[in-house]
Amino acid sequence: MSEQMLEILKNGIWETLYMTVVSTAFSYLFGIPLGVVLYITDKKGICQNKIINFVVGIIVNMIRSVPFLILLVAILPFTRFIVGTTIGSNATIVPLVVAATPFVARMVESSLKEIDFGVIEAAKAMGSSVGQIIFKVLLPEAKPSLLLGGTISLATILGYSAMAGFVGGGGLGAIAINYGYYRYQGEIMWITVALLVVIVQLFQEIGLHLARRVDKR
Amino acid sequence: MIVYQLISLSKEFREKGNTVEAVKNVNLNIEKGKIYGIIGFSGAGKSTLVRCLNLLEVPTSGKVIFNGKNLLNISPAELRKCRQKIGMIFQSFNLLSQRNVVDNVCYPLEIAGVKRKEAKQKALELLEMVGLKEKAKSYPSQLSGGQKQRVAIARALATSPDVLLCDEATSALDPITTTSILELLKEINQKLGVTIIIITHEMKVVELICDHVAVMSEGTVVEQGEVKEIFVNPKAEITKKLVLNKALDASDTGRNFLRIVFEGQSAFEPILSSLVLECNTMVNILGANTENIGGKAYGQMLIELPKDSSVVNKIKKFLDSKSVYYEEGGIAG
Ligand SMILES: Nc1ncnc2c1ncn2[C@@H]1O[C@H](COP(=O)(O)OP(=O)(O)O)[C@@H](O)[C@H]1O
Ligand SMILES: [Mg+2]
């Protein structure tokens, strides 16, 4: 393989990691509050509210049911508005965050659902406010599960980012398409696929290890 | 002084068309410094009642007056302040699994705005009192059930509550651990003057530490009074069942029997042997046990009644002459 190709692959890895990690970070920034809202406004939640729960639930489900590539194209004007362009890594981050936030919200909600309800009741009985329950009970108690969910989200977002390569996104996905698909360099495609697999595996291992280490159960 | 006053308290659960009246028109006064038992079989509404005391369950109607304030009339912020004065422990301990023992005890202090250093010191003092100081850095998953309940007790006491609510606090524990937890609660009651309200389905718990007891059945309080009165002279059918639970096994229900209660120093054998001699009859003992109620020994014995009514009268006369308390009756199976 040529020096040049190696350089391209190295850049691809870097871009993929950058897109994935930044998108995941933003998805969690928005997804955690949404997940918490979904959880606490649900029946038996600490802030039951049918209307908010229904509205947020509907929005989340709607975005989740749109296929990623369609979503990506549909929000191109929005992407241009946010980052000023529609090609490259930064432009991919916008649709990735839009697509992943509802997914993350559901992941967070399901992590919170794992918490023993008795613990929340005990906190309530001790005179905790809703905010104190969220920040001192819900999120800390769900931490190991949230970390595990985080690794799943990373892997999912990585997959989406590769897809974005089809429509002008950067990273390993774009390399696989440009060299493997359009220029018939099969081996480059397989190398990028192998690299993607290795990255997913790494995320998974690190996530599992972290979750196990912080879990005191 | 009265800590809690419950006035025609009711709680209904509505679920898909059908209503469950879990608590029906309960009136109860709970005196400061006492250990108060609420006993009843499963489903009687005990947990619902105790959860109404700190509004974990909002009553459908009635008043919950705590230290003179009706909890149903105050603002959410005031309610949170009141809850800091109402400790609670549970059957399933409900500790924060991701916090170590000392940080669990710090939690209520943290939310009350106590400074970290002060909170930690108070937590360590409480852990010392419950005998777990050396476990301060352990996590709940590393503790036994009894130890977890001790941590939960320390946590419930952190904000120096006036009342401690215990919902089946010993039901998940073995008999020896149960006794040690109950002794700890008694000690806390005596040392700190905390009023304790204990929910249980076991008469033994009530006999061991309670001063007062209310018996619940189908959502209502059917009988209440001092524990020894209730033990010696249970009136409600359900109370009789609870008191006799251990002395009589299920296969014996339905037979006619005489329940003889011994107070203080009286013992079974001398009375029984003179009964047999003086009445010239054989008696069939169905069961017997002794209890320590408020530091005093009490015993109960169940004997099957002979068919001959003249012999029955003779036995009763004999028991009267010895001033032994007894009651006649069969329990429906
Ligand atoms: N959250 C609830 N929703 C519906 N019914 C309930 C709920 N909690 C308790 N109940 C019903 O109320 C009755 C009393 O329950 P509970 O207070 O738990 O009794 P106990 O603690 O004496 O066993 C039961 O019939 C139970 O099914
Ligand atoms: Mg119960």
Side-chain angles (χ1 to χ4, degrees):
Chain A
M1 205 187 310
S2 67
E3 283 283 313
Q4 197 195 359
M5 200 64 232
L6 273 180
E7 193 59 30
I8 288 171
L9 282 174
K10 224 160 63 189
N11 270 336
I13 293 173
W14 166 242
E15 272 177 22
T16 292
L17 285 177
Y18 167 77
M19 283 188 298
T20 307
V21 171
V22 173
S23 304
T24 307
F26 275 106
S27 305
Y28 269 85
L29 189 67
F30 305 125
I32 288 180
L34 281 176
V36 169
V37 166
L38 281 172
Y39 177 74
I40 63 173
T41 58
D42 202 0
K43 3 181 212 310
K44 301 208 165 180
I46 51 171
C47 268
Q48 287 165 51
N49 188 318
K50 272 195 187 129
I51 299 170
I52 294 180
N53 191 268
F54 182 76
V55 172
V56 176
I58 284 281
I59 295 172
V60 161
N61 289 349
M62 260 166 45
I63 301 177
R64 283 195 67 190
S65 49
V66 179
F68 176 63
L69 280 178
I70 294 174
L71 184 91
L72 190 151
V73 174
I75 66 164
L76 280 177
F78 178 67
T79 305
R80 193 191 311 276
F81 172 74
I82 300 281
V83 291
T85 172
T86 58
I87 51 168
S89 302
N90 282 333
T92 311
I93 288 173
V94 177
L96 280 178
V97 172
V98 173
T101 296
F103 171 78
V104 168
R106 288 291 184 205
M107 296 282 286
V108 170
E109 186 194 11
S110 89
S111 290
L112 295 176
K113 278 185 175 162
E114 286 170 23
I115 302 172
D116 179 0
F117 197 69
V119 177
I120 298 162
E121 288 220 303
K124 222 166 126 181
M126 285 184 273
S128 315
S129 65
V130 171
Q132 286 165 334
I133 293 181
I134 293 171
F135 290 104
K136 288 177 180 289
V137 180
L138 294 181
L139 295 175
E141 285 292 295
K143 193 163 69 182
S145 173
L146 287 172
L147 273 170
L148 276 180
T151 67
I152 297 173
S153 304
L154 270 171
T156 307
I157 291 170
L158 182 92
Y160 284 175
S161 85
M163 253 193 267
F166 258 108
V167 282
L172 291 171
I175 296 170
I177 285 146
N178 290 335
Y179 293 86
Y181 186 71
Y182 293 124
R183 299 185 199 170
Y184 305 108
Q185 297 184 2
E187 87 265 28
I188 298 293
M189 193 165 79
W190 289 117
I191 288 170
T192 54
V193 169
L195 283 170
L196 288 170
V197 169
V198 170
I199 293 172
V200 168
Q201 199 63 36
L202 270 176
F203 283 157
Q204 198 74 25
E205 288 301 317
I206 294 169
L208 271 178
H209 179 76
L210 271 180
R212 222 175 282 138
R213 237 185 57 178
V214 303
D215 197 355
K216 307 298 182 193
R217 276 175 297 183
Chain B
M1 232 181 84
I2 306 282
V3 194
Y4 260 119
Q5 200 179 358
L6 308 183
I7 303 173
S8 32
L9 191 75
S10 297
K11 173 70 186 178
E12 286 177 4
F13 292 105
R14 282 195 200 95
E15 260 179 3
K16 292 176 200 118
N18 61 333
T19 16
V20 181
E21 281 186 276
V23 173
K24 292 180 226 168
N25 193 26
V26 166
N27 292 287
L28 217 55
N29 285 334
I30 289 165
E31 249 181 272
K32 199 171 159 58
K34 288 270 158 63
I35 304 186
Y36 212 102
I38 298 173
I39 189 169
F41 290 108
S42 174
K46 311 176 298 287
S47 295
T48 307
L49 178 66
V50 80
R51 290 159 55 82
C52 283
L53 296 183
N54 58 5
L55 256 53
L56 277 183
E57 217 70 81
V58 182
T60 317
S61 63
K63 291 183 185 162
V64 181
I65 298 170
F66 171 68
N67 282 342
K69 262 189 260 180
N70 184 357
L71 296 183
L72 288 154
N73 281 347
I74 60 177
S75 70
E78 261 185 291
L79 174 62
R80 289 199 295 272
K81 272 264 175 307
C82 279
R83 279 174 170 168
Q84 289 173 6
K85 292 287 157 202
I86 308 169
M88 186 169 194
I89 59 173
F90 306 81
Q91 179 171 0
S92 51
F93 323 122
N94 294 343
L95 298 175
L96 294 157
S97 65
Q98 305 295 336
R99 280 189 180 219
N100 66 21
V101 165
V102 67
D103 287 342
N104 259 286
V105 182
C106 281
Y107 179 86
L109 295 166
E110 233 172 272
I111 62 166
V114 177
K115 287 207 185 64
R116 175 80 191 143
K117 220 175 132 191
E118 262 173 70
K120 196 146 189 180
Q121 195 187 333
K122 171 99 201 212
L124 288 171
E125 277 168 28
L126 285 163
L127 284 174
E128 174 137 52
M129 187 177 79
V130 301
L132 278 179
K133 200 172 183 183
E134 73 284 4
K135 295 278 184 194
K137 291 271 184 272
S138 303
Y139 283 86
S141 62
Q142 298 165 319
L143 304 178
S144 69
Q147 290 172 329
K148 282 183 203 167
Q149 200 57 291
R150 281 169 189 268
V151 176
I153 291 171
R155 182 174 73 169
L157 294 175
T159 44
S160 313
D162 297 326
V163 191
L164 181 61
L165 310 176
C166 313
D167 189 0
E168 303 273 6
T170 57
S171 298
L173 306 172
D174 63 72
I176 291 169
T177 315
T178 294
T179 309
S180 79
I181 292 287
L182 292 175
E183 274 163 5
L184 175 65
L185 288 175
K186 181 132 209 164
E187 190 189 316
I188 285 162
N189 167 259
Q190 282 164 353
K191 261 197 204 157
L192 309 176
V194 181
T195 310
I196 300 183
I197 300 172
I198 292 188
I199 301 295
T200 182
H201 63 276
E202 292 174 291
M203 197 59 196
K204 184 189 149 212
V205 171
V206 171
E207 285 159 1
L208 265 174
I209 65 163
C210 294
D211 305 306
H212 249 79
V213 63
V215 183
M216 270 192 97
S217 170
E218 293 176 7
T220 56
V221 171
V222 290
E223 187 165 1
Q224 57 172 309
E226 282 191 32
V227 175
K228 60 173 181 289
E229 282 169 22
I230 300 275
F231 180 80
V232 172
N233 191 10
K235 292 195 178 66
E237 211 42 48
I238 204 92
T239 318
K240 287 181 187 172
K241 273 193 191 175
L242 283 161
V243 168
L244 292 173
N245 213 351
K246 281 172 297 180
L248 192 67
D249 77 31
S251 61
D252 287 326
T253 53
R255 273 198 261 184
N256 282 338
F257 63 84
L258 205 59
R259 175 171 175 263
I260 306 173
V261 182
F262 304 87
E263 272 188 65
Q265 296 308 311
S266 342
F268 290 136
E269 286 115 72
I271 295 222
L272 195 62
S273 46
S274 29
L275 184 147
V276 170
L277 283 175
E278 288 197 21
C279 305
N280 195 18
T281 178
M282 301 295 273
V283 290
N284 184 15
I285 302 173
L286 298 173
N289 65 336
T290 50
E291 298 297 338
N292 187 326
I293 300 174
K296 224 170 135 192
Y298 283 84
Q300 61 175 338
M301 181 167 63
L302 294 166
I303 59 175
E304 193 177 2
L305 282 177
K307 297 228 165 45
D308 188 342
S309 65
S310 67
V311 181
V312 172
N313 284 336
K314 240 193 214 166
I315 293 176
K316 287 184 187 167
K317 222 182 244 148
F318 168 80
L319 291 172
D320 284 337
S321 74
K322 300 276 178 194
S323 9
V324 171
Y325 178 87
Y326 64 88
E327 61 176 349
E328 202 177 340
I331 23 175

